[in-house]
Amino acid sequence: MDRLRIKGGRPLKGEILISGSKNASLPLMVAALLSDRKLTLHNVPRLADIDTMIQLLEQHGVEVTAGPGENGHARGTTLTLHAPKIVSTTAPYDIVRKMRASVLVLGPLLAREREARVSLPGGCAIGSRPVDLHIAGLKALGAEIDIDGGYLVARAPKGLRGARFTFPKVSVGATENMMMAAALAKGTTVLDNAAREPEITDLAECLVAMGVPVRGIGTETLTIDGVTSLQEASHRVISDRIETGTYAMAVAMTAGDVELVGGRLDLIEAAVQTLRDAGVTLSKTDRGFRVHRTNGALRGVDVMTEPYPGFPTDLQAQMMALMTRAEGASMITETVFESRFMHVPELARMGANVTIHHESALVRGVPTLRGAEVMATDLRASVSLVIAALAAEGESTINRLYHLDRGYERLEEKLAACGADIARIRR
Ligand code: EPZ
């Protein structure tokens, strides 16, 4: 298994190109299941999770071709997805267990084929992550759903019917599943308390390009008029706001100065405010924005994760890594997932001072971190250890690199180009 070796202490300087969003790309790819016409997606990042999604969609009958990217550029990938016929309505355990986003095929398959069998994803390192909201929503559209042999078995013999559904809790995945199911349901669907993440807006805009009327885009009430057929469409994936925030925090951690090309401040406003409060400078440029911290120490700030537009849970671990070196204390409260503090014991191995009280972590800044051998159990926890290692004295080794490969395109290349002493050790 590959590992990452980092020698800390070098400020990051230069520019980093932000990739297309992983969490926008996955549902956008699934949307191809709705249509017998081609869907072309530009700016899809090249990541392990994207490959897993291709594998899943291909076994459902989607023909996927990958081009080199926009304007013949090697960065980013253009994917063309075409599902003239669905050949299987089963999403098998072997693929779903690798990537929870696989559950997004449930709504589209049910809407198009009137049946779907999707493996239950099981537990995961950041919490139990049930799928009850996906089930309740699809039932409201007329689906019958049972659990049999570890699979969700869904049927809608007469097709799905539009309905009004209020999410009892905000869920990104359940909102996406419902939007896609509603696209082919008979009549109008109104989704209240829908998630408003930029990835939801991106999916809504792609559905509109495919010929589905969606109103209320960007608000907590989405209205979707079901259609009987869709049109050929192409769509450019938004830039990855979590990758953007991650690199902004890495630059702040090393007291560096980097332009994040393609990064959008407007997609991470809560994190931008938090970073400014902590003493980091972020300023818009023609190509994205510049982040720098050249003078003064970091200040401890409190953070609470919330659904968009609040502070994203997917940046919580990285923010905690940053706060380990701040002056004063920082209270970090996780309200989205129940056990997303797996990075805490690993940060402690590097000398961080963090105490957990239920859903909050109290971080007391320390003057120095020391390099260590660490490992993490999920994507964002892993990258928080990279951030800590970039500022730690001496050498760190990060194990279980496959987590990082799921969500960060060419991470070591991007950091090395800004002066980090970082190398992948293959074995
Ligand atoms: C998406 O996961 C993202 N994944 C996650 O990013 C992200 O952390 C999360 O949204 C929150 O922003 C993708 O987009 C592929 P949710 P999702 O449904 O859709 C509970 C990363 O690191 N819930 O919004 O699975 C759930 O347990 C990943 O890139 C139910 O109770 O998240 C959680 O506490 C990790 N029942 C909360 O809602 C349900 O049926 C929010 O989850 C569904 C969710």
Side-chain angles (χ1 to χ4, degrees):
M1 237 180 281
D2 289 2
R3 292 177 300 161
L4 211 52
R5 198 224 61 222
I6 298 174
K7 282 193 192 130
R10 296 193 183 190
L12 296 173
K13 295 227 161 97
E15 61 180 61
I16 294 177
L17 185 67
I18 300 301
S19 298
S21 160
K22 165 182 85 84
N23 287 348
S25 297
L26 296 171
L28 288 167
M29 292 167 72
V30 173
L33 284 173
L34 292 168
S35 173
D36 59 1
R37 305 295 171 88
K38 279 186 186 158
L39 174 64
T40 303
L41 298 175
H42 301 287
N43 200 34
V44 179
R46 277 165 301 177
L47 298 168
D49 273 9
I50 300 294
D51 291 338
T52 305
M53 184 55 86
I54 291 176
Q55 198 192 345
L56 177 65
L57 294 177
E58 281 181 338
Q59 64 88 46
H60 288 308
V62 185
E63 297 155 11
V64 184
T65 44
E70 291 170 343
N71 308 322
H73 204 290
R75 76 175 162 92
T77 304
T78 293
L79 291 182
T80 302
L81 304 108
H82 187 204
K85 197 172 175 318
I86 301 298
V87 299
S88 163
T89 52
T90 297
Y93 177 64
D94 266 2
I95 301 181
V96 180
R97 74 181 165 81
K98 279 201 264 177
M99 187 181 66
R100 294 184 55 90
S102 307
V103 80
L104 294 176
V105 303
L106 181 63
L109 287 175
L110 190 54
R112 180 162 167 187
E113 298 296 312
R114 302 186 172 193
E115 60 168 46
R117 259 182 96 239
V118 176
S119 172
L120 278 163
C124 129
I126 60 175
S128 61
R129 299 181 78 184
V131 289
D132 56 319
L133 301 174
H134 300 244
I135 296 173
L138 292 168
K139 280 187 173 169
L141 299 187
E144 297 158 13
I145 305 183
D146 296 312
I147 294 173
D148 184 28
Y151 278 73
L152 291 165
V153 181
R155 285 181 212 87
K158 295 186 189 138
L160 296 176
R161 291 179 314 272
R164 184 158 202 139
F165 181 74
T166 303
F167 291 98
K169 175 177 184 175
V170 177
S171 162
V172 174
T175 303
E176 291 164 345
N177 228 333
M178 288 292 282
M179 288 164 76
M180 291 190 278
L184 292 181
K186 195 160 183 251
T188 298
T189 298
V190 180
L191 303 176
D192 290 313
N193 200 26
R196 286 184 282 162
E197 270 67 3
E199 295 76 23
I200 301 280
T201 296
D202 214 30
L203 176 62
E205 283 169 358
C206 182
L207 289 174
V208 170
M210 293 168 83
V212 184
V214 183
R215 294 185 297 283
I217 296 176
T219 74
E220 60 181 31
T221 301
L222 290 169
T223 304
I224 299 143
D225 295 330
V227 296
T228 48
S229 67
L230 295 159
Q231 64 204 32
E232 191 168 327
S234 86
H235 178 83
R236 185 172 199 277
V237 179
I238 47 161
S239 72
D240 196 314
R241 66 191 168 103
I242 305 302
E243 188 194 26
T244 304
T246 300
Y247 286 126
M249 289 167 193
V251 174
M253 184 69 161
T254 64
D257 187 346
V258 171
E259 184 179 12
L260 299 180
V261 178
R264 284 178 50 181
L265 287 170
D266 62 312
L267 298 183
I268 49 165
E269 275 174 6
V272 167
Q273 195 49 54
T274 307
L275 285 170
R276 286 185 174 142
D277 292 346
V280 183
T281 307
L282 302 107
S283 46
K284 208 171 173 325
T285 63
D286 290 345
R287 303 188 301 168
F289 67 92
R290 175 181 171 213
V291 50
H292 71 117
R293 180 173 76 84
T294 35
N295 35 31
L298 285 164
R299 291 186 291 274
V301 284
D302 293 343
V303 175
M304 186 188 286
T305 67
E306 279 168 321
Y308 193 82
F311 189 98
T313 172
D314 288 347
L315 286 175
Q316 178 259 112
Q318 301 89 313
M319 192 65 203
M320 187 185 295
L322 185 62
M323 290 294 96
T324 61
R325 291 283 311 280
E327 271 180 8
S330 164
M331 180 72 87
I332 299 190
T333 306
E334 172 61 58
T335 74
V336 179
F337 289 107
E338 79 260 27
S339 60
R340 207 174 191 181
F341 283 139
M342 306 299 278
H343 39 287
V344 170
E346 299 300 308
L347 288 170
R349 303 191 70 246
M350 300 173 84
N353 181 348
V354 185
T355 357
I356 301 176
H357 303 273
H358 307 291
E359 75 276 18
S360 293
L362 179 64
V363 186
R364 291 190 177 87
V366 293
T368 45
L369 295 176
R370 286 175 305 279
E373 184 159 353
V374 288
M375 69 161 101
T377 41
D378 81 271
L379 169 60
R380 311 302 171 187
S382 301
V383 87
S384 77
L385 301 175
V386 172
I387 292 176
L390 287 170
E393 278 176 5
E395 188 173 302
S396 298
T397 308
I398 319 241
N399 293 301
R400 297 199 185 168
L401 215 48
Y402 56 86
H403 289 299
L404 283 172
D405 291 336
R406 290 185 60 177
Y408 289 92
E409 191 178 42
R410 300 184 289 111
L411 172 105
E412 67 270 24
E413 221 179 281
K414 291 186 184 189
L415 289 172
C418 289
D421 187 343
I422 182 169
R424 182 182 286 253
I425 306 163
R426 296 185 190 275
R427 59 171 179 183

